[in-house]
Amino acid sequence: MERQWQNWKAADAEAAGTGRDIIGLYAQADGDAAAFGPQAEDELTAALRDALIALDARWAAGTKSAAAAIRRDNALVVTARASNAVRLASAGTADLFGVTPATGAAGRLFELLEAAGGGVTDALRARLRELRAPAVLAIGRLAEALSRPEAPVVFEWAAPASGRRAAELDPRLLQEMSAYIDAAETTSIFVPVRGRLTALNAAGRSFRLEGDDGRSYAGKLSGELRRRFLRSEAALPVLPAAAEALVERRTIYRASIDEETTVDVLTELDTDPGLDRHETLQSLRELRGRLDAALEQDGGYEQPLPVAAGDYAELADFAERLAGSNPLKGARLALRTADVAELQALLAEGRPIGRLAAADGFVHAAEDDGGDGYDEEPAARAARQRAAAERQKLAAAAYADSVKLAGRLANMIGDLEREMP
């Protein structure tokens, strides 16, 4: 059966007549099976265009994308199609020298595909290494698209001033070239991270995590985590949120472009991790040290304020955070519930330690001996003495509770130390 494209105008004549670069693709397939359906044609045209854009000498190194002028000058228009063939023309026309804006890139592309006819040789590898990474990857995608008919494909190129050139491309060698360009060596390490989750986009599969060690992790969610959040099996956390996570750091090396990239994948996430054991132990030790120093000062319960107002606020805040943390994780898992409950109870505002801390300034005023140059009224003196007596009782009770508090802190310090590796 005579193939339709054999009746088409010769490519070099069309190029000379229109002043455009002409690229033809002809699948040498047997029978009537269509090698280039509408979708395949669109994908092939896009792959050709991307390869020309990437091979344009004007695309400067270091830029992530081609300029609009480069994209415009390497656009292609379909001028003829058949079931097993397609012909395209450059959007731009030739100058006085018969050169279109796409001629240089089209020539470089033809030479690379012609070289691929000998397989992935050292010479082809050397030529690919001379190209920028976007060009190599674009050629790999084009080679894969050209191999889909699973039949030899004639790649024809004609320029207005330089005539016609053609190369027959073996699908097996095209696949070999595509596989070589796409080949990547991937290594992974799994990094446990504790820190703050600052960004999470389930739809976009992205995250950002700031580790307590000062390192940042950003990348993609694993498929399992994304499905978990999209299916509403877990509510999205309010950000920023304390988090424990496991991050897979993938290092991908492509030999064809001598490029190494690193991708972070969030594989496990817990935004209710409980208090960190090391940090909690350090806080307990510091608080216990201050409390012991206060208890030893001036001998027992006569110390006016066993727990200073500033220390009390810090202790009370710590006790509240500890009591409110997850009892099945972190520091709470190593601590006895009775110690945590008693710690919070001893530091309640209505208990002696809290009352004494809140009344600190007032009590000192009440203890003043009134010696400022005049005789104190009996009623005033009596009121002052009653206040001093009440304060002494409160101080004694606060001292006793402070001793209990020191004991609870010691228990918790011991429990955490035993759990440490």
Side-chain angles (χ1 to χ4, degrees):
M1 173 178 146
E2 184 180 6
R3 294 187 171 95
Q4 291 174 284
W5 71 76
Q6 292 178 351
N7 297 321
W8 293 355
K9 186 176 182 178
D12 51 354
E14 185 173 342
T18 62
R20 302 175 187 272
D21 283 288
I22 302 299
I23 294 177
L25 301 170
Y26 312 100
Q28 307 293 315
D30 295 329
D32 297 327
F36 302 126
Q39 182 177 353
E41 181 184 301
D42 290 344
E43 293 175 355
L44 195 53
T45 301
L48 267 170
R49 180 200 62 224
D50 291 346
L52 293 175
I53 289 170
L55 287 167
D56 194 301
R58 294 172 295 171
W59 188 345
T63 56
K64 292 184 178 180
S65 59
I70 296 175
R71 294 181 176 278
R72 182 185 63 244
D73 290 345
N74 289 286
L76 295 171
V77 178
V78 176
T79 62
R81 59 169 57 90
S83 61
N84 290 324
V86 60
R87 180 176 281 182
L88 308 102
S90 63
T93 55
D95 57 18
L96 293 175
F97 301 98
V99 176
T100 79
T103 297
R108 283 185 283 275
L109 176 60
F110 178 84
E111 290 173 357
L112 284 165
L113 291 176
E114 187 178 42
V120 182
T121 61
D122 289 341
L124 179 61
R125 293 189 184 95
R127 295 189 72 162
L128 290 174
R129 281 196 294 271
E130 294 173 357
L131 302 177
R132 297 170 59 253
V136 177
L137 297 177
I139 291 166
R141 291 191 294 271
L142 176 59
E144 193 276 330
L146 288 170
S147 71
R148 288 179 192 168
E150 297 184 353
V153 173
V154 174
F155 185 93
E156 177 186 58
W157 167 57
S162 56
R164 172 187 179 273
R165 300 175 68 182
E168 184 171 311
L169 309 176
D170 185 305
R172 180 182 59 82
L173 296 179
L174 288 171
Q175 291 170 359
E176 182 182 321
M177 182 180 188
S178 174
Y180 166 71
I181 290 173
D182 285 345
E185 181 182 347
T186 302
T187 56
S188 293
I189 59 170
F190 288 86
V191 185
V193 181
R194 187 179 180 94
R196 293 178 69 78
L197 183 70
T198 57
L200 179 66
N201 185 336
R205 298 186 63 181
S206 62
F207 80 97
R208 185 171 185 83
L209 184 63
E210 304 294 339
D212 289 343
D213 58 1
R215 297 180 180 178
S216 296
Y217 304 84
K220 298 180 179 181
L221 300 180
S222 68
E224 182 180 348
L225 276 181
R226 182 170 181 263
R227 287 190 295 271
R228 190 177 94 189
F229 286 116
L230 287 179
R231 292 174 181 172
S232 300
E233 294 176 12
L236 288 173
V238 177
L239 303 178
E244 282 185 351
L246 187 64
V247 174
E248 180 187 1
R249 175 153 283 184
R250 297 176 185 168
T251 301
I252 304 165
Y253 176 70
R254 288 180 182 265
S256 62
I257 55 176
D258 192 24
E259 183 177 272
E260 185 175 274
T261 57
T262 300
V263 178
D264 289 337
V265 180
L266 186 64
T267 60
E268 296 179 15
L269 176 66
D270 184 358
T271 52
D272 184 20
L275 296 179
D276 181 82
R277 292 189 179 188
H278 289 88
E279 291 179 0
T280 301
L281 177 58
Q282 183 61 27
S283 296
L284 286 169
R285 286 170 174 166
E286 291 177 1
L287 294 171
R288 171 68 191 276
R290 284 189 238 165
L291 183 60
D292 285 348
L295 290 172
E296 292 171 2
Q297 187 176 349
D298 291 341
Y301 68 88
E302 293 180 359
Q303 163 63 20
L305 196 59
V307 178
D311 288 345
Y312 169 76
E314 189 173 343
L315 272 165
D317 177 69
F318 174 79
E320 184 176 351
R321 286 190 294 112
L322 189 60
S325 65
N326 194 323
L328 302 178
K329 297 176 182 176
R332 280 290 305 276
L333 190 60
L335 301 177
R336 285 168 282 189
T337 303
D339 286 334
V340 176
E342 181 70 1
L343 177 70
Q344 189 177 31
L346 289 169
L347 292 167
E349 291 184 359
R351 292 289 293 266
I353 295 175
R355 289 171 56 200
L356 191 61
D360 184 28
F362 168 77
V363 171
H364 280 298
E367 283 188 318
D368 192 90
D369 60 7
D372 56 356
Y374 64 90
D375 292 332
E376 188 176 23
E377 293 291 334
R381 182 181 294 110
R384 181 174 60 79
Q385 289 173 344
R386 284 195 300 273
E390 287 298 322
R391 184 196 181 285
Q392 189 174 6
K393 291 180 182 178
L394 184 60
Y399 179 84
D401 278 2
S402 297
V403 173
K404 295 178 184 177
L405 184 64
R408 294 294 180 175
L409 291 174
N411 289 346
M412 289 192 267
I413 290 170
D415 289 340
L416 284 172
E417 287 177 338
R418 281 188 291 274
E419 291 295 324
M420 291 300 173

